[in-house]
Amino acid sequence: LLDYGMGFAEFIAEFEPAAPLPYLPDVARIERAWTKAYHAREASPLDPGVFAEIPGDRIADLRFAIHPSLRIVQSQFPALTIWRMNVADGVPSAVDLESGGEDVLVVRPAADVEVRSIPPRGATFLSALTSGKTLGEAAKSAMSDAGNFDLSGNIAALIGAGVFVGYSIAADAAQTEESVVRTWAKRDSI
């Protein structure tokens, strides 16, 4: 049953009667991401205080372990705005489909799934981190897309959302990778 609806967004995208609603597949992707995050295994987010213990000259070499519930949805439409209007106590209102896209972060660091907007270029940055790139490499990737990338704001938002559950520090060129992975958060799994 957990896989029920897995291809629904793709079905909507190809369903001719839904063509006048081009945002609808992305709204379905957000809903699917919520379901996947809800059923993902448990993990405890890093305590933000651990970052103060990392030597300043090694920050760019960080590789993060990402919360297993994390999902990213990118849309060229205001899909998050539309999704929010249609869940719980959402209030329907007019939406300007030409207002630009919204990138969405879905994560469940505690009991409830959180659905948040990602700052500009944040999806590129976060995708790079989830693929195993170092913090420095992910920042370069996001900055190459646009000059208006706010590295501190994005990191603060990700820490606040509970996205990081551990980290390692990439080793110097002479070594392959530091073998110690530090996780100052207790991990639970179901």
Side-chain angles (χ1 to χ4, degrees):
L1 285 176
L2 292 178
D3 289 333
Y4 183 76
M6 185 168 37
F8 189 56
E10 290 72 24
F11 169 78
I12 294 171
E14 296 174 11
F15 188 55
E16 188 70 31
L21 308 171
Y23 56 85
L24 198 54
D26 291 338
V27 173
R29 285 182 184 94
I30 295 170
E31 188 65 26
R32 181 69 182 155
W34 189 98
T35 300
K36 295 291 281 183
Y38 180 80
H39 292 288
R41 69 180 170 81
E42 302 286 335
S44 297
L46 279 178
D47 180 322
V50 303
F51 296 103
E53 300 173 14
I54 300 168
D57 63 337
R58 299 307 308 267
I59 296 290
D61 298 325
L62 290 177
R63 280 200 175 91
F64 290 101
I66 305 297
H67 199 286
S69 68
L70 177 75
R71 303 292 184 270
I72 304 167
V73 178
Q74 293 182 270
S75 178
Q76 64 184 16
F77 300 102
L80 177 59
T81 300
I82 295 166
W83 181 83
R84 283 183 175 153
M85 287 190 302
N86 290 283
V87 295
D89 296 330
V91 178
S93 63
V95 175
D96 178 10
L97 295 180
E98 304 298 321
S99 65
E102 294 174 337
D103 293 338
V104 183
L105 177 145
V106 181
V107 68
R108 185 184 44 79
D112 295 323
V113 176
E114 297 181 23
V115 180
R116 301 174 174 215
S117 177
I118 299 175
R121 311 304 336 136
T124 300
F125 177 64
L126 186 51
S127 293
L129 290 175
T130 62
S131 72
K133 293 193 187 288
T134 65
L135 183 61
E137 293 166 336
K140 275 185 194 175
S141 178
M143 288 179 195
S144 70
D145 282 354
N148 61 351
F149 177 69
D150 176 12
L151 179 59
S152 324
N154 272 274
I155 292 172
L158 296 174
I159 292 170
V163 168
F164 305 127
V165 297
Y167 73 88
S168 63
I169 300 176
D172 296 328
Q175 301 172 359
T176 56
E177 185 169 322
E178 188 172 311
S179 62
V180 177
V181 174
R182 299 183 179 165
T183 56
W184 275 269
K186 179 182 171 191
R187 292 188 190 190
D188 301 321
S189 59
I190 13 180

